[in-house]
Amino acid sequence: MTSMLPIVEELADAPDHMAQARWLLQVPLAVIIRDQVTIHRLLSAAGFHEGLAYFAAEIAALSATRGRDGLAPNTIRMTREYARIGIQVIARGGAEEGK
């Protein structure tokens, strides 16, 4: 038995980058914030560089000081969206990292 919550164990048990990408896109953002150290460790151990980039973009967006409009700065929002597009492609099986 591990100290990870079952939802984080799903990431630890993911067989490939496609499954990890799907997990990243579906997991509640509260889990990403709460378990960010463990998630970072798991993605690093898997060598999932695009997953780490997406993860970092989500953390930056969730942690950013928001403007009067309630949104993060444009640069952070754009970085997050570009990273999300890349991870969506991997989640669909349309690309393998590094190819």
Side-chain angles (χ1 to χ4, degrees):
M1 175 154 206
T2 68
S3 62
M4 287 186 275
L5 293 175
I7 195 166
V8 180
E9 285 183 6
E10 290 176 16
L11 176 61
D13 295 339
D16 54 27
H17 291 175
M18 185 187 327
Q20 292 164 339
R22 288 179 180 160
W23 185 91
L24 283 167
L25 290 170
Q26 295 172 353
V27 70
L29 294 174
V31 172
I32 287 179
I33 286 290
R34 182 190 64 218
D35 296 308
Q36 60 185 293
V37 172
T38 302
I39 294 167
H40 187 276
R41 182 180 52 78
L42 292 169
L43 295 173
S44 293
F48 190 20
H49 303 291
E50 292 198 6
L52 283 166
Y54 170 73
F55 175 72
E58 280 291 1
I59 294 295
L62 292 167
S63 303
T65 301
R66 298 178 293 158
R68 287 183 233 163
D69 59 1
L71 300 172
N74 281 334
T75 53
I76 290 178
R77 293 191 344 244
M78 288 173 50
T79 300
R80 181 187 198 187
E81 288 307 310
Y82 286 129
R84 181 178 289 139
I85 290 167
I87 214 79
Q88 287 171 333
V89 171
I90 293 168
R92 288 192 308 262
E96 292 183 31
E97 185 179 17
K99 292 189 178 183

